[in-house]
Amino acid sequence: MHFALYLFLLAAGSIVGFFSGLLGIGGGILMFPLLLYMPQVFGLDPIGVKNITGLTMIQGFFASLSAMFFYNKHNLVNKSLVLTLGLSLFLSSLAGSFLSKIVPDKPILLIFGALAFTASVMMLIPRSYRKDEMTEDQVAFHKPTAIIIGVSIGFLIGMVGQGGAFIIIPILLYVLKIPLRVALGSTLAIGLFSSSAGLVGKIATGQVPFHMAAALLAGAMPSARFGGFVGKKTKTQYLRWLLAAIIIGTAAKIWMDIFK
């Protein structure tokens, strides 16, 4: 049974790692429901919600790190945006991850569902694709707004064990008006701040099963770089709609389970 579990985690890491690189996400929006619902489908024991939050956090950190190097090489990571939003996310995410240890599973699912629903609504807002091929040196943004956003959402994404890319990307696109490719590349780097803070809290409170994390990462890291390569060659409107579909589907599934 242990071998089957590790094989499942390796496959899950590979699949989610690819989408991490393709869509500029840490992968938690996919990994969380995958680990929550799929083990039982394959006859495996369920994985506890707190262990899932720890696994999604560590997978998100290393998949983001792997894919970010690809985006940075192509001038799609805006350093000023990363530092401004990333640092403001760090402390609030750290606080949320520590508090999550004493919060029951149901409220954590509610928070995750609320964030995913908000992100899905934002991703359906019509937008222009005209500037999406711009590189990071052509991008400007309002720093005070970015700081307020970071502090506001950091605590919540730390609670649910996410790097937060699924909510950060819509905010970059629709609030800060960042071109899509720079938003994807910068979000991977921003996610390193929030996921590293959350990861410290998860490890310190014993919520990361390292033997399972090793199998997850073995699949995630190489596939994340490949996903970045495919994403660079894919039209931005297709990336946006794929990301929207993933967020909407995950939000719908989680809310169905909450009400059930």
Side-chain angles (χ1 to χ4, degrees), residues 10-34 59-60 62-64 66-68 71 165-166 169 180 184-185 187-188 219-232 234 238-247 250:
L10 181 68
S14 298
I15 294 168
V16 176
F18 174 78
F19 283 101
S20 295
L22 179 69
L23 299 173
I25 57 178
I29 187 71
L30 284 171
M31 187 61 76
F32 191 99
L34 193 61
Q59 183 274 336
F62 284 101
S64 295
S66 180
M68 185 201 68
Y71 279 88
F166 69 93
I169 290 175
L180 191 138
L184 299 185
T187 297
L188 286 165
M221 293 191 67
S223 63
R225 290 186 67 85
F226 178 64
F229 173 79
V230 175
K232 183 70 171 61
T234 304
Y238 298 153
L239 295 176
R240 176 208 166 195
W241 284 112
L242 179 57
L243 181 60
I246 289 171
I247 294 173
T250 302

Side-chain angles (χ1 to χ4, degrees), residues 193-237:
F193 282 92
S194 57
S195 60
S196 62
L199 186 56
V200 169
K202 297 294 181 183
I203 292 174
T205 52
Q207 298 182 65
V208 179
F210 289 103
H211 61 293
M212 297 169 68
L216 207 63
L217 294 178
M221 293 191 67
S223 63
R225 290 186 67 85
F226 178 64
F229 173 79
V230 175
K232 183 70 171 61
K233 296 182 176 298
T234 304
K235 289 185 178 180
T236 56
Q237 57 262 49

Side-chain angles (χ1 to χ4, degrees), residues 79-247:
K79 301 348 181 253
S80 178
L81 176 62
V82 169
L83 289 174
T84 302
L85 193 54
L87 289 174
S88 60
L89 277 168
F90 183 86
L91 289 178
S92 55
S93 179
L94 182 61
S97 67
F98 272 100
L99 184 62
S100 68
K101 176 68 175 180
I102 61 173
V103 177
D105 290 351
K106 191 68 174 269
I108 290 176
L109 286 175
L110 282 168
I111 292 170
F112 188 29
L115 289 173
F117 175 76
T118 302
S120 65
V121 171
M122 293 180 72
M123 288 300 293
L124 294 176
I125 299 172
R127 63 182 297 274
S128 169
Y129 299 99
R130 186 169 52 88
K131 297 181 178 181
D132 277 347
E133 300 298 331
M134 292 171 62
T135 51
E136 62 88 14
D137 54 303
Q138 301 169 294
V139 172
F141 65 98
H142 191 246
K143 287 188 177 182
T145 302
I147 293 171
I148 292 170
I149 289 168
V151 172
S152 302
I153 68 171
F155 182 80
L156 297 177
I157 61 181
M159 285 277 290
V160 300
Q162 302 286 315
F166 69 93
I167 185 69
I168 293 172
I169 290 175
I171 288 172
L172 293 185
L173 293 177
Y174 295 101
V175 180
L176 296 179
K177 308 297 183 183
I178 306 296
L180 191 138
R181 292 203 190 279
V182 174
L184 299 185
S186 299
T187 297
L188 286 165
I190 291 166
L192 293 179
F193 282 92
S194 57
S195 60
S196 62
L199 186 56
V200 169
K202 297 294 181 183
I203 292 174
T205 52
Q207 298 182 65
V208 179
F210 289 103
H211 61 293
M212 297 169 68
L216 207 63
L217 294 178
M221 293 191 67
S223 63
R225 290 186 67 85
F226 178 64
F229 173 79
V230 175
K232 183 70 171 61
K233 296 182 176 298
T234 304
K235 289 185 178 180
T236 56
Q237 57 262 49
Y238 298 153
L239 295 176
R240 176 208 166 195
W241 284 112
L242 179 57
L243 181 60
I246 289 171
I247 294 173

Side-chain angles (χ1 to χ4, degrees), residues 9 47 50-55 58 202 206-215:
L9 292 170
I47 302 173
K50 286 185 171 58
N51 279 343
I52 291 173
T53 63
L55 289 169
I58 197 168
K202 297 294 181 183
Q207 298 182 65
V208 179
F210 289 103
H211 61 293
M212 297 169 68

Side-chain angles (χ1 to χ4, degrees), residues 61-79:
F61 177 84
F62 284 101
S64 295
L65 184 65
S66 180
M68 185 201 68
F69 285 122
F70 178 88
Y71 279 88
N72 189 51
K73 181 180 177 181
H74 292 85
N75 298 317
L76 296 173
V77 178
N78 185 283
K79 301 348 181 253

